[in-house]
Amino acid sequence: MKTREELQVPKAEFRSYYGRPILKQPHWRVPDVPLYLFLGGLAGASASMAALADLTGRPELARVGRLAAAGGASASVVALIHDLGRPTRFLNMLRVFKPTSPLSVGSWILAPFSAAATAAAASSVTGVLPQVGRVAGIGAGVLGPALSTYTAVLLADTAVPAWHEYYPELPFVFGGSALASAAGAALVAAPPAEQAPARKMAVIGAGLEFAAMSRIERRGGIVGEPYRQGRPHQMLRAGKILTGLGAGLSLVGRRNRLVSAVAGTALLAGALCTRTGVFYAGRASAADPKYVVLPQRERLAAQAAQAAQRGTADGTTPSSTP
C-alpha cells in the first residue's frame, strides 16, 4: 500500500537534470564512421562473393569481388584511423585480444581480413602467385560475414538506446545491407554473363534488410522514435527506396549493361544511406534523455506489476517499503 506521503506527492512530468543529456553522445566523426560502417560491409560481402565465384568458375566476378573487398577494407581502415586521430591507436587495439569486447574482436577480424583481401586482389591483378592469391581470397571470404556484421554488434553493445534496444535486428540489417552493396559493386563492374549470383544477392540482401527494419518499426516504443523522424528517417527512407529500386532493376536489366550499372549504383547508395541512418538514429537517441529515462520507468513499472501479480497469486500483499 502507498504511504500518506506518496499519495500527497503529485506525479511529475518528465525532465532531466537541468535539461542536459544523460548519456554522452558518441564522439565518432562524420563521415568517417558512417563510411567505416558501409565500407566494412561492402568489403566483407564482396570477399565472400569472390570466393564463391572463384569456386564456381566465374573468374571476372571473382576479380571484381576481390578488388571491392581489398578497396573497401583499405578505405575502411583509413576512415577508422582518421576517426581515431593517430594510427598508433588502431595498432594498440591489436595488442590484446578481448573476446568480451566487440571492438577488440572487430579489430582482430579487420586486420587479417585486410591483409588476405589485399593479397588476393594483388594476385588477381598481377597474375603472380595465383594459388597463394586463391587461398588468401578463400580466407577473406570465410572472414567476410563476420566483418559485414560485427559493426552492428559493436553499436548494440553501447548504452545508446536506439542501438542497444535493437541488438537482435541490427546484425540482420547490416548483413542484408552488405549483401546488397556487394551485389551493387558486381553489377557495376562485372560482365553481364557472370552477374547471376550478384542479382540473387541483391534480392536476398534487400529482403533481409527490409524484414529486419520492418521488425524494428513494428516493435514501436519510444526508443524507436529516432528511426521514424528527422534525419535518420530521411536517410533510412532513401536507403529503402534506392535498395528496392536497385534490386528491381537488377532483375529487369539482365542483359543490359547500362541498366545493371544503374541498379548497382542504386544498391551501393542505398546501403550507404541505410548505415548512415542507423548511425544518426543512435546519435539522436543519446542526445535526448527521455530515450534513457522513460524506458527505464516502463521496465520498473512492469517489474512492479509482475511482483504484485505474484503477491496476489501467493495470497500476500506486496509492501511499498523495502
Side-chain angles (χ1 to χ4, degrees):
M1 297 179 61
K2 293 185 177 181
T3 64
R4 182 177 180 182
E5 290 78 6
E6 288 176 316
L7 293 173
Q8 291 177 344
V9 176
K11 186 176 181 180
E13 295 294 329
F14 166 75
R15 63 173 181 265
S16 66
Y17 186 70
Y18 289 112
R20 302 186 65 180
I22 294 174
L23 294 178
K24 185 177 181 181
Q25 284 198 48
H27 60 276
W28 299 328
R29 300 178 186 177
V30 177
D32 295 343
V33 173
L35 283 175
Y36 167 67
L37 299 176
F38 163 70
L39 292 168
L42 169 64
S46 295
S48 298
M49 178 184 69
L52 292 174
D54 184 37
L55 294 174
T56 55
R58 295 180 172 89
E60 289 301 316
L61 181 60
R63 181 173 179 272
V64 170
R66 288 173 178 173
L67 291 174
S74 300
S76 177
V77 171
V78 171
L80 177 60
I81 291 175
H82 187 264
D83 177 70
L84 293 173
R86 292 197 301 268
T88 53
R89 291 179 176 174
F90 175 73
L91 296 176
N92 287 337
M93 290 191 293
L94 300 175
R95 294 175 59 186
V96 178
F97 178 73
K98 288 183 63 177
T100 57
S101 169
L103 183 59
S104 176
V105 173
S107 300
W108 279 92
I109 293 172
L110 181 58
F113 175 91
S114 299
T118 301
S123 175
S124 180
V125 171
T126 62
V128 177
L129 300 175
Q131 293 302 319
V132 173
R134 189 177 192 187
V135 172
I138 293 174
V142 171
L143 292 173
L147 183 68
S148 300
T149 55
Y150 94 87
T151 47
V153 179
L154 175 63
L155 296 182
D157 194 53
T158 66
V160 176
W163 295 338
H164 183 73
E165 180 71 17
Y166 300 104
Y167 71 89
E169 292 85 6
L170 283 182
F172 293 98
V173 174
F174 278 32
S177 173
L179 286 173
S181 62
L187 291 171
V188 169
E194 297 187 10
Q195 287 180 354
R199 296 190 193 100
K200 294 179 182 178
M201 285 176 58
V203 174
I204 294 172
L208 184 61
E209 178 187 331
F210 291 169
M213 285 303 305
S214 295
R215 181 176 171 83
I216 291 176
E217 294 169 359
R218 288 197 307 270
R219 285 179 62 185
I222 191 170
V223 179
E225 275 188 2
Y227 291 100
R228 303 190 294 268
Q229 60 189 17
R231 180 184 290 182
H233 174 70
Q234 294 172 358
M235 298 298 297
L236 290 169
R237 179 177 174 81
K240 183 179 292 186
I241 292 173
L242 289 167
T243 301
L245 176 64
L249 288 177
S250 70
L251 298 177
V252 174
R254 293 177 182 272
R255 298 183 181 278
N256 191 309
R257 190 66 181 263
L258 178 60
V259 175
S260 294
V262 172
T265 303
L267 288 168
L268 289 166
L272 178 59
C273 288
T274 296
R275 300 211 178 201
T276 304
V278 171
F279 174 78
Y280 276 119
R283 291 185 62 172
S285 69
D288 194 331
K290 72 179 181 181
Y291 298 122
V292 178
V293 175
L294 295 184
Q296 290 179 343
R297 291 181 177 178
E298 291 175 357
R299 286 192 290 269
L300 289 173
Q303 291 174 2
Q306 291 177 358
Q309 290 178 355
R310 288 195 298 268
T312 302
D314 295 340
T316 59
T317 301
S319 174
S320 61
T321 59

